[in-house]
Amino acid sequence: MNGFMNSARRAGLSGVASGVFVTALTAASVAAEVKIGEDARSSVALTVYNQDLALISETRRFELPNGQSKLAIEGLPANLLPQTARIGGDGLRVLEQSFDANLVSQQRLLEASVGQEIRVIRTHPTTGEETLVTARLISISHGIVLQIGDRVETSVPGRLVFDRIPEGLRENPTLLAQVESEAGGPSELALRYLTGGLSWSADYVAELNEAEDRLDLSAMVTLRNNTGSAFDNATLRLVAGQVNLQSSLPQPSSPAMTMRSQAKFASPAEADMSAPRSAGDRYVYDLARPVVIGARETKQISLLSADGVAVLKTYRFDGLANAHGGANEVGPVNAAVTLEIENGEETGLGLPLPAGIVRVYQPDQAGSLFLGEDHLNHTPEGEKAELRLGDAFDITARAKHTAVDRISRDTYESEQEIVIENAKDEAVNVEVAGFFPQGWKMLKETSVHEKETANQVVWKLEVPAGGSTTLTYRVRVSR
């Protein structure tokens, strides 16, 4: 080859002629693309996270040419993160790779055909007869401009027809790889990449009993596939917990509550997910069977069930208790209805619970009543979950500051009275939570508080049926 080039130079070939020669040579040396479609896929594994992210590992079987070749791997998600794609195979070396998501569309067909000849199908308005004429597409910048014969037309006189898909446009997202192989023949390609468009969440259903001290809990995994790609017979595992991304793409139980744990990841007839296992500071759930999920499909899979879980129903007021004075009186305000669940074996659970929406129902004379829903955060074993279901109609409170006294420039004392009223025909447990600034000290109180955090306290009170309970306290704040 060097001898040929030297001979050409000696023969006095011009720079232009040499350029033509090199271009022709390069074009001749590039082999045709080896297309590897979805039908070549021999296995696929999906690892799906809560945050619209999935790690996909797959293998595809194909016939690999010897030497250098260009692979065109089709059937991939459009929102694949190209920088995460890794290609491997026995005796295969990747020289370069790129992700081509320049998909064919009406607009891109037009853009790629400017200056080219296309065809127009005209339909006779009376007979319906169709005729085919050739036109040159002059411009599309402010509407379509066509030259038909010796005329220039600015409105399309029929349907536009293209003989082929222009070079540079593809029907599907494609990963291109220039590779080199030691030997050709039947090969297996290993492919791994991160993509957006796949996510999962847990959706819980809780059936609260009539006594409102136990519930039956079940959960389904909601798997969403918005990648535009289908996955058949895929191994599925779900990861509970958030991972950091830099790439662009969010009450003590009484002895009567103690019971043998009935929580379970049910048998295949009842649930499909395995018991969670700890991996990399997160929990992983494995599906016991392959899954088929179509493009843009949402699928639900049984996750867990637990019967007779002990709960504590309380009514809670947040924001009423404070030390900064303000309006003479606040209220009446309604209490928030809460269900507290200790995630332990003694209450009937003892499982890591992935984040999701919990919807609570209760049987009544008409069948079932929806009580409300709340978001459950990731709750490991041994932690407490609190669900807020809405406001209680019959439990109200009024609050007023009875004194705010300045002791010094940096110290003051505040006294407050909170009256809780219960219109129900049974006694209820009520929590009154307050947040105080730094440097606070409780001077007196009609009921002993508990600390939830350094600056947040809660009073737990019982309010009699059809009656009221009054809480008063005095707090000193030193800045």
Side-chain angles (χ1 to χ4, degrees):
M1 181 66 69
N2 291 335
F4 186 90
M5 291 296 293
N6 291 333
S7 299
R9 292 191 185 95
R10 287 193 298 270
L13 287 176
S14 68
V16 175
S18 297
V20 171
F21 171 78
V22 172
T23 301
L25 180 64
T26 302
S29 66
V30 176
E33 291 181 353
V34 179
K35 294 187 182 296
I36 309 174
E38 289 178 279
D39 56 349
R41 184 183 284 152
S42 55
S43 69
V44 59
L46 310 178
T47 303
V48 186
Y49 296 79
N50 295 119
Q51 57 200 104
D52 191 39
L53 177 73
L55 172 64
I56 299 182
S57 303
E58 55 175 282
T59 58
R60 300 191 186 192
R61 294 193 177 100
F62 71 108
E63 194 72 23
L64 177 66
N66 187 24
Q68 289 193 22
S69 57
K70 187 175 185 179
L71 308 183
I73 307 169
E74 300 177 328
L76 298 173
N79 40 3
L80 176 152
L81 295 175
Q83 65 272 29
T84 68
R86 294 294 180 268
I87 300 171
D90 291 339
L92 188 71
R93 188 166 74 96
V94 178
L95 305 177
E96 62 179 59
Q97 66 185 49
S98 62
F99 185 60
D100 190 352
N102 189 25
L103 305 185
V104 64
S105 66
Q106 182 182 30
Q107 181 64 24
R108 286 176 175 166
L109 273 175
L110 291 170
E111 291 171 353
S113 301
V114 172
Q116 306 295 320
E117 285 192 346
I118 61 175
R119 289 185 289 177
V120 180
I121 297 178
R122 288 174 165 173
T123 303
H124 194 281
T126 304
T127 64
E129 181 182 358
E130 292 186 342
T131 57
L132 190 66
V133 297
T134 300
R136 188 169 71 89
L137 182 60
I138 298 176
S139 175
I140 62 169
S141 59
H142 297 286
I144 295 176
V145 180
L146 297 172
Q147 181 178 357
I148 302 177
D150 58 356
R151 303 186 313 277
V152 174
E153 301 197 15
T154 58
S155 62
V156 179
R159 304 195 311 274
L160 301 182
V161 179
F162 303 85
D163 293 330
R164 59 182 176 81
I165 296 177
E167 187 176 348
L169 297 183
R170 296 186 180 272
E171 296 181 40
N172 301 293
T174 304
L175 183 63
L176 302 173
Q178 193 74 30
V179 301
E180 186 176 58
S181 62
E182 298 174 354
S187 301
E188 188 168 71
L189 184 78
L191 177 62
R192 185 185 69 191
Y193 55 88
L194 292 172
T195 182
L198 269 168
S199 63
W200 74 278
S201 63
D203 286 280
Y204 296 84
V205 173
E207 298 282 348
L208 186 65
N209 66 359
E210 186 176 353
E212 299 184 334
D213 60 355
R214 296 192 187 279
L215 54 77
D216 295 337
L217 186 68
S218 62
M220 300 283 285
V221 167
T222 301
L223 180 64
R224 300 174 183 85
N225 178 15
N226 294 316
T227 64
S229 298
F231 300 98
D232 295 333
N233 297 317
T235 301
L236 176 66
R237 57 181 183 169
L238 309 175
V239 180
Q242 302 289 308
V243 293
N244 188 42
L245 288 175
Q246 297 297 321
S247 305
S248 300
L249 287 180
Q251 298 299 338
S253 59
S254 65
M257 291 182 178
T258 302
M259 57 180 293
R260 183 177 61 85
S261 175
Q262 295 183 9
K264 57 185 180 295
F265 283 83
S267 61
E270 299 170 307
D272 299 306
M273 305 305 297
S274 68
R277 56 186 174 84
S278 179
D281 296 316
R282 294 169 182 86
Y283 282 98
V284 177
Y285 302 81
D286 295 289
L287 185 64
R289 55 178 174 75
V291 67
V292 176
I293 182 166
R296 298 179 179 85
E297 181 182 6
T298 297
K299 172 166 289 192
Q300 287 194 307
I301 304 166
S302 180
L303 176 63
L304 62 86
S305 64
D307 298 331
V309 178
V311 297
L312 179 64
K313 181 179 179 181
T314 62
Y315 301 93
R316 185 177 172 103
F317 294 95
D318 283 301
L320 278 183
N322 59 74
H324 47 69
N328 288 334
E329 185 168 343
V330 176
V333 295
N334 296 87
V337 181
T338 67
L339 293 180
E340 295 180 0
I341 305 172
E342 294 285 348
N343 186 10
E345 290 188 6
E346 68 279 1
T347 62
L349 273 176
L351 300 168
L353 302 176
I357 300 296
V358 182
R359 296 173 177 88
V360 182
Y361 301 83
Q362 187 177 44
D364 72 347
Q365 295 177 352
S368 187
L369 186 66
F370 176 58
L371 300 183
E373 65 182 23
D374 197 10
H375 182 267
L376 176 73
N377 294 322
H378 292 300
T379 306
E381 183 179 356
E383 293 294 322
K384 181 175 71 174
E386 185 177 276
L387 306 175
R388 298 202 172 195
L389 305 183
D391 293 338
F393 190 86
D394 290 328
I395 313 298
T396 59
R398 289 182 172 85
K400 65 179 180 180
H401 283 87
T402 56
V404 178
D405 300 323
R406 176 66 61 180
I407 307 302
S408 67
R409 188 183 69 173
D410 297 326
T411 303
Y412 68 92
E413 294 180 0
S414 175
E415 191 166 306
Q416 191 177 30
E417 176 185 88
I418 300 175
V419 179
I420 304 103
E421 296 182 342
N422 174 20
K424 289 179 171 290
D425 56 4
E426 58 186 13
V428 295
N429 295 316
V430 173
E431 294 182 355
V432 178
F435 186 86
F436 299 137
Q438 288 185 346
W440 67 274
K441 179 181 180 181
M442 189 67 65
L443 300 179
K444 65 177 182 178
E445 55 190 338
T446 55
S447 180
V448 178
H449 70 272
E450 297 177 9
K451 276 192 176 183
E452 291 191 324
T453 65
N455 295 316
Q456 182 162 303
V457 302
V458 62
W459 288 273
K460 298 183 178 181
L461 310 169
E462 182 175 309
V463 186
S468 65
T469 296
T470 300
L471 167 69
T472 60
Y473 68 91
R474 188 176 182 90
V475 64
R476 174 181 293 170
V477 179
S478 298
R479 298 175 182 173

